[in-house]
Amino acid sequence: MESLNIEELYRAAEQSRLNAFESARQDSLKRLQSNLDDIGASYRNSVTQAQTASRISALGQEEKLAASGLSSGGSYAAPTSGYTETARVAADNNLRSNLNTLSAARLQQEQEARNASNTEIAQARQSYENSVSDIRTQMAQAQINQYNADREYNYNVSTTAYQQAMQRWQTYGVVLPADASILGVPAGTRTASSAYNNAKLALERWKALL
């Protein structure tokens, strides 16, 4: 049975988090563009309304002046009095002020939309980075746990092999060739030697650590 690749699993988890962040970023940018389009359409509509209202007001003023025997000069003709010129300037200034107000409002709304999008993306990025940091911490801990488990397993295997080799040494009275490398003494070494006593002491120390 094929063993699991821990690092590959964690890399897949990181990629999944990255994909989620990129999806969130694209969604935010799409919302931003939609908001900017709406703001632009609203601005253009408001400008049209302001210009229409100004034109209607100017035509109404024309009728009032005509009833008084005066003229503001029509659409293009020169006015016939200082009063009518002042009225035209005032109307132009009022329209210009309204358009400036609309333009400033549009710029503010666009900036607010961009700020909101930037905040969303920044939060998504922070969430992604925190998640990846957690994943890497978990991966490091998993590797440490695996290292300790492997070390303990190898230690137990080595201790068991040594203990069994010692038992054969005692049983046969000499070190068997297959056990020489395990015990660290030459094959044929007898139990009456000092090497046997040293090996017994080493085994007792190993047992004490279990």
Side-chain angles (χ1 to χ4, degrees):
M1 181 176 179
E2 185 179 356
S3 61
L4 293 176
N5 187 323
I6 299 298
E7 290 190 12
E8 183 175 337
L9 290 176
Y10 280 106
R11 282 197 298 271
E14 283 192 29
Q15 185 62 47
S16 176
R17 301 303 193 281
L18 178 60
N19 292 342
F21 161 69
E22 184 60 28
S23 178
R25 189 179 74 87
Q26 291 297 332
D27 288 345
S28 183
L29 292 177
K30 288 178 181 177
R31 284 194 296 275
L32 171 60
Q33 188 57 55
S34 178
N35 289 337
L36 292 178
D37 290 342
D38 290 343
I39 291 170
S42 178
Y43 168 74
R44 290 188 294 272
N45 184 57
S46 297
V47 167
T48 298
Q49 290 179 354
Q51 292 173 333
T52 300
S54 178
R55 181 59 178 166
I56 292 174
S57 176
L59 291 176
Q61 185 66 19
E62 285 278 357
E63 293 175 356
K64 291 179 181 179
L65 292 174
S68 301
L70 301 173
S71 172
S72 63
S75 299
Y76 302 102
T80 58
S81 73
Y83 173 79
T84 54
E85 173 63 15
T86 299
R88 171 183 285 182
V89 171
D92 289 344
N93 288 340
N94 184 63
L95 175 59
R96 187 176 297 108
S97 176
N98 289 339
L99 294 179
N100 287 339
T101 299
L102 291 173
S103 179
R106 175 191 182 182
L107 292 176
Q108 181 178 355
Q109 290 171 351
E110 289 178 342
Q111 187 59 50
E112 289 174 351
R114 291 189 176 91
N115 290 343
S117 179
N118 289 338
T119 298
E120 286 181 353
I121 293 174
Q123 291 174 341
R125 180 180 294 279
Q126 187 62 54
S127 176
Y128 159 70
E129 291 176 351
N130 290 342
S131 179
V132 168
S133 177
D134 290 341
I135 288 173
R136 291 176 180 174
T137 299
Q138 292 171 12
M139 181 174 68
Q141 187 59 54
Q143 290 174 331
I144 291 173
N145 293 342
Q146 186 63 52
Y147 169 80
N148 289 334
D150 291 344
R151 183 172 179 272
E152 182 177 359
Y153 172 78
N154 292 332
Y155 179 79
N156 290 335
V157 168
S158 298
T159 303
T160 300
Y162 191 90
Q163 189 171 2
Q164 292 174 345
M166 282 294 297
Q167 184 63 45
R168 287 189 291 271
W169 191 1
Q170 184 179 14
T171 299
Y172 295 105
V174 295
V175 174
L176 300 178
D179 293 332
S181 60
I182 297 175
L183 296 169
V185 295
T189 303
R190 297 185 174 277
T191 54
S193 68
S194 59
Y196 178 75
N197 293 329
N198 291 337
K200 285 182 65 177
L201 288 175
L203 180 58
E204 293 302 321
R205 294 193 191 98
W206 281 16
K207 288 181 178 181
L209 296 174
L210 295 178

